[in-house]
Amino acid sequence: MTGPLVPFREFVLKVHSRCDLACDHCYVYEHADQSWLTRPKAISDEAISWTARRLAEHATTHALPSVTVILHGGEPLLAGPARLRRVCEELGSALNGIAELDLRIHTNGVQLSPRYLDLFDEFHVRVGISLDGDRAANDRHRRYADGRSSHPMVLRAVDLLREERYRHLDLGLLCTVDIHNDPVAVHDALAALEPPLVDFLLPHATWDDPPPRPDGSPTAYAAWLLAVFDRWTEQGRPMPVRMFASVLSSLSGGPSLTESLGLAPTDLVVIETDGKLEQVDSLKSAYEGAAATGFDVFRNTFDEVAAHPGVRARQLGLAGVSETCRSCPVVRSCGGGLYTHRYRSDASGGGFDNPSVYSDDLAALIRGIEERTAAATESPAVRSPDALLAAHQDLTRTLLAVVHDTLGGRGGALWDDAWRLAAAVEAGTAGADALDAVLAHPYTRTWLVDAVADVDAGRGLTEPAAERLAATVAAAAVRARLDLAVPVAYRDGSLHLPTLGTVVLGGPGERGAAVVQPADGGFLVRETPAAPGTEVRIALGGPEGPHWLPVRVLRQAPAPELLLDDLDPLRDCFDAPAADRLEAEDADAWAHRIAEAWSLLADAVPDQAAEAARTLTTLTPLSTGAAAPGHHGPGALGAGPLTGAAELALGLLSGFRRAKLRALGEVTDLYALDGTWDHRTPWGSEHVTFSRLLAETFERAGLGLYDPRFLAGVPEALDMIENAAEVTVDGKQLIAAVRKEISGTRSAAGKNHGRSLPPSGPVTNVLTSDRKVTFE
């Protein structure tokens, strides 16, 4: 198996191999692997020392900032306080100055007492306790060998851990699911103890030894867990539940939060009491020796274990699950289930290359949670164009704050003055609105994204970034007519004020500093240090002159008011080069062409035209090419010198759809990640990534409202996307909106409806074959 070695970050250290309870569902004593019979009861001093040495070696080799060690058994408390102290001291000493040590212990709790908790407090050992619910549920399996109940002793341990002096050590409760128990009673019993976390565990089972299903239902465990989920939701989610949090995270495109779900590679190794190094402990449920590696801490490094084929098989992500699972829509949430639960010994499906024995349960659980939370997790940005604009305004301000906070006062005088004056500008309503308007200019995102990357990488703030912030604040002060003197800097002989225009202060290559101050009907620009003849007075709305090149505004109905920005130094962010400053007659021609094209859009697709009118603010002329979004914030399109209103209308609509999808992808989770397989487009034989399938489908759906020929294959593509493994809750919401959008047009596919279609012929001319959207 190829790929980089994944270092271990979690180590399960067996400090005692026997237990004081006789739980009949225990994978250590009651399942296929009986190797515990040959292990020493307690870990030896030598095994402790070698484990500590190997941990330090592994952390050093891989520069690990921290490692987690879980003290386990059997029942780890049977090792006694002295031996546990020895373990804590040796591990802490070995890792001192190398990596942080996160120590934990998983116990049944019956031996827990203040002397143990005082020891754990000294070494910062956090405690997780196994408890299966109320007394009836817990006593179904967790009893002493003579049949006595362990429930009172476990509750005593939980109460002790809840005392103020020990509460910081509480990791939470581990509950093994039994569908014979009342799910609501189990939930309420656990919630009443106010744990910091509850972890529900499916009982270990394989295809050879499947879990009990009294009524024969293939989704009995899902039904039980969904009943708990419903109660948990009804009670206001009183405590975190790891399984539910993991499903909700992965449905939204986030990571799995538990080994039993999701596709994250395993990073766990087990050290037995005899020093043998094994894979994850649950494998003991599969067959005798399933967890064995043949290595031990005395002779082998953890890197050797990490390279073991059995470990590597659980680090392959999507490629490591069965073929059935790879094509399942919920695979990114369930991850094929726990590796152990996939085992089957028969010749037809031997090994672990199978779906989980709980596969139907996992699918039903994930779908059930998705259905129950769809309304609550709806993205306002997907639902409402205004919410999308607001989300992007928030994102722009967040990026700006990130840059400022990361700089920590190292932005320089120009940046610091601009930041201080920005606060003064937005102190009043007029100033706040003006600042929002300038920050909403699409090219603000262009310099902000670069600035974030620079400061994150430790390169510091570039001069152009500081200059742009100062120019932004100056433009806002001018728009709001505030009596503020804003220091700015110019380069190459000109100062560009975004959304307003460019002040010419010198020739090519000249640089300098100036102050911008609003004045009646416009503003003044004074170079600093002041000298005779260095003041330029600009009248807003006045004609172009030797010192002033205004950003032109297209105001020809029925098109919306658009900035025709052929000045902004950051406008060259399209696939085709931006055009130079237009002559006045060329700008007038653009106004007429846009108005004519918009008239066609308003007639054919009034809803999309209205949405575009609210969201598009800026048109940048390009030297070539059709209309397209650039690599910046929403609101801008670039367009080349197309001929014909119908072709321009279709180009504008195409660019708007792609700009909208890009904008959605920046503030929502439309899909998790592109998978390791491709999807065939219904409108051709090409196989594409999920992101490209989504982009082309969204664009075609919008174009199909103008020309129904584009709808060919769109309904099939929507079905593919809705059932794909990559799609998230936000993505499903978007697909539902697209279905609604095109619901009245399917029967019209192939009809012209009397509109003048582009003369270019095939509809594929508008959708270039290499077009795709990538979200970061």
Side-chain angles (χ1 to χ4, degrees):
M1 296 177 186
T2 59
L5 194 74
V6 178
F8 295 116
R9 290 176 171 82
E10 192 167 302
F11 303 82
V12 174
L13 181 59
K14 299 296 192 75
V15 295
H16 204 279
S17 67
R18 305 299 192 267
C19 190
D20 44 6
L21 294 182
C23 307
D24 59 15
H25 59 9
C26 180
Y27 62 86
V28 174
Y29 304 110
E30 303 297 332
H31 287 203
D33 190 312
Q34 293 291 297
S35 57
W36 67 274
L37 291 167
T38 64
R39 312 265 191 216
K41 289 183 179 180
I43 191 170
S44 67
D45 290 347
E46 184 184 16
I48 295 171
S49 296
W50 274 101
T51 297
R53 187 181 307 181
R54 296 299 188 196
L55 276 172
E57 176 184 66
H58 196 65
T60 300
T61 299
H62 297 284
L64 300 179
S66 66
V67 295
T68 298
V69 178
I70 302 170
L71 308 181
H72 214 281
E75 169 49 50
L77 294 184
L78 291 178
R83 183 136 303 272
L84 291 175
R85 174 177 289 277
R86 174 71 181 270
V87 170
C88 296
E89 287 176 343
E90 291 237 21
L91 298 185
S93 177
L95 288 167
N96 186 34
I98 297 175
E100 291 292 322
L101 175 60
D102 177 9
L103 270 173
R104 306 178 180 195
I105 190 167
H106 287 177
T107 172
N108 60 33
V110 298
Q111 301 279 341
L112 198 64
S113 65
R115 70 171 179 166
Y116 279 112
L117 289 174
D118 289 339
L119 171 68
F120 298 156
D121 188 30
E122 180 181 348
F123 290 97
H124 311 291
V125 183
R126 291 183 292 167
V127 183
I129 293 179
S130 296
L131 178 65
D132 288 349
D134 57 358
R135 179 161 184 158
N138 201 68
D139 284 355
R140 193 179 295 279
H141 300 287
R142 296 187 180 279
R143 291 177 173 270
Y144 288 96
D146 61 6
R148 287 181 296 125
S149 169
S150 66
H151 191 254
M153 300 297 289
V154 180
L155 285 191
R156 182 192 59 79
V158 173
D159 287 341
L160 184 60
L161 197 54
R162 291 174 65 194
E163 291 183 8
E164 190 61 35
R165 55 181 171 157
Y166 300 131
R167 186 178 290 273
H168 62 289
L169 301 177
D170 193 355
L171 264 180
L173 302 173
L174 291 82
C175 174
T176 300
V177 173
D178 189 319
I179 56 176
H180 294 91
N181 294 328
D182 181 340
V184 172
V186 168
H187 170 276
D188 290 353
L190 299 177
L193 299 175
E194 300 179 331
L197 178 72
V198 168
D199 206 353
F200 286 105
L201 309 174
L202 291 169
H204 290 314
T206 67
W207 288 102
D208 292 353
D209 185 16
R213 298 184 182 276
D215 60 357
S217 169
T219 57
Y221 289 86
W224 193 94
L225 286 165
L226 286 171
V228 174
F229 183 88
D230 290 340
R231 181 66 169 178
W232 180 64
T233 302
E234 175 189 316
Q235 296 295 315
R237 302 186 177 183
M239 69 282 185
V241 177
R242 193 195 305 273
M243 179 181 285
F244 300 156
S246 182
V247 172
L248 291 169
S249 171
S250 58
L251 284 174
S252 297
S256 166
L257 306 177
T258 173
E259 179 202 6
S260 60
L261 298 171
L263 294 168
T266 181
D267 59 358
L268 178 149
V269 64
V270 177
I271 305 103
E272 287 285 356
T273 56
D274 57 3
K276 284 189 169 60
L277 297 170
E278 297 199 336
Q279 301 178 63
V280 63
D281 227 22
S282 62
L283 284 170
K284 296 180 187 297
S285 299
Y287 58 89
E288 184 79 35
T293 65
F295 300 129
D296 60 57
V297 293
F298 311 112
R299 297 174 295 119
N300 304 103
T301 67
F302 286 123
D303 273 9
E304 290 177 82
V305 185
H308 186 277
V311 175
R312 298 283 276 175
R314 292 165 44 242
Q315 296 175 342
L316 297 175
L318 195 60
V321 301
S322 71
E323 184 178 352
T324 301
C325 291
R326 284 197 295 273
S327 60
C328 176
V330 301
V331 67
R332 293 203 176 274
S333 290
C334 84
L338 190 69
Y339 191 73
T340 300
H341 299 167
R342 307 174 198 172
Y343 182 72
R344 185 194 298 267
S345 65
D346 62 73
S348 62
F352 296 92
D353 189 20
N354 304 289
S356 167
V357 72
Y358 290 106
S359 59
D360 289 340
D361 291 294
L362 294 174
L365 173 65
I366 292 162
R367 290 302 193 203
I369 290 177
E370 182 180 32
E371 290 168 2
R372 286 161 168 78
T373 59
T377 57
E378 272 192 351
S379 168
V382 175
R383 188 172 61 247
S384 162
D386 293 336
L388 177 58
L389 290 174
H392 269 276
Q393 188 78 325
D394 287 345
L395 177 58
T396 298
R397 285 181 169 269
T398 298
L399 290 174
L400 193 56
V402 166
V403 173
H404 185 71
D405 292 346
T406 306
L407 287 170
R410 295 175 287 108
L414 187 62
W415 178 276
D416 291 342
D417 284 344
W419 190 268
R420 174 178 54 81
L421 289 170
V425 168
E426 68 175 356
T429 301
D433 289 345
L435 187 58
D436 276 342
V438 182
L439 288 176
H441 188 53
Y443 302 137
T444 299
R445 187 71 55 77
T446 307
W447 70 267
L448 261 182
V449 169
D450 290 341
V452 170
D454 286 337
V455 297
D456 279 350
R459 293 188 292 269
L461 192 73
T462 63
E463 286 185 1
E467 292 165 6
R468 184 68 180 214
L469 178 63
T472 295
V473 175
V478 170
R479 291 172 67 103
R481 301 180 181 180
L482 300 177
D483 187 18
L484 285 177
V486 182
V488 294
Y490 66 89
R491 60 178 57 231
D492 209 24
S494 62
L495 166 66
H496 183 74
L497 300 178
T499 73
L500 297 179
T502 296
V503 183
V504 180
L505 297 171
E510 292 186 26
R511 300 179 60 176
V515 171
V516 173
Q517 186 161 11
D520 290 343
F523 59 96
L524 301 174
V525 181
R526 296 192 308 274
E527 289 193 77
T528 55
T534 61
E535 182 175 282
V536 176
R537 180 180 291 271
I538 305 297
L540 288 181
E544 185 173 313
H547 293 292
W548 177 235
L549 301 175
V551 173
R552 300 184 179 102
V553 182
L554 304 180
R555 296 189 179 95
Q556 186 159 334
E561 186 174 288
L562 293 172
L563 299 181
L564 185 67
D565 201 332
D566 53 6
L567 289 171
D568 198 307
L570 299 177
R571 73 188 186 282
D572 205 3
C573 54
F574 298 88
D575 293 335
D580 293 331
R581 175 70 167 176
L582 299 179
E583 298 294 335
E585 57 269 25
D586 293 330
D588 289 341
W590 266 107
H592 289 293
R593 291 174 60 218
I594 293 293
E596 189 177 357
W598 208 276
S599 179
L600 292 175
L601 293 176
D603 174 59
V605 284
D607 290 342
Q608 290 199 84
E611 183 179 347
R614 293 202 304 274
T615 56
L616 294 180
T617 63
T618 307
L619 181 73
T620 292
L622 305 179
S623 58
T624 61
H631 309 292
H632 45 57
L637 284 180
L642 300 173
T643 58
E647 187 174 2
L648 179 57
L650 201 56
L652 289 173
L653 183 55
S654 172
F656 164 66
R657 293 292 286 196
R658 284 185 285 132
K660 179 179 178 180
L661 189 63
R662 180 186 290 278
L664 282 169
E666 290 177 341
V667 296
T668 64
D669 292 307
L670 297 176
Y671 65 96
L673 290 171
D674 278 329
T676 58
W677 63 88
D678 291 333
H679 302 265
R680 184 186 60 78
T681 60
W683 39 84
S685 58
E686 189 176 10
H687 285 71
V688 300
T689 60
F690 181 82
S691 60
R692 184 166 161 191
L693 176 66
L694 177 63
E696 289 193 8
T697 302
F698 186 75
E699 185 175 357
R700 282 178 174 271
L703 294 172
L705 299 174
Y706 182 86
D707 175 2
R709 290 182 296 169
F710 282 100
L711 288 179
V714 168
E716 293 84 352
L718 293 174
D719 290 340
M720 291 168 62
I721 293 169
E722 191 169 45
N723 293 316
E726 296 95 334
V727 72
T728 63
V729 172
D730 288 346
K732 289 180 184 295
Q733 184 186 347
L734 178 62
I735 294 310
V738 173
R739 287 191 192 281
K740 183 177 180 181
E741 196 175 33
I742 68 171
S743 60
T745 63
R746 295 188 188 185
S747 61
K751 296 180 182 179
N752 188 339
H753 279 226
R755 287 193 291 274
S756 175
L757 297 178
S760 55
V763 295
T764 51
N765 285 4
V766 179
L767 292 159
T768 57
S769 62
D770 61 347
R771 185 174 294 164
K772 65 178 179 179
V773 176
T774 303
F775 305 110
E776 300 176 356

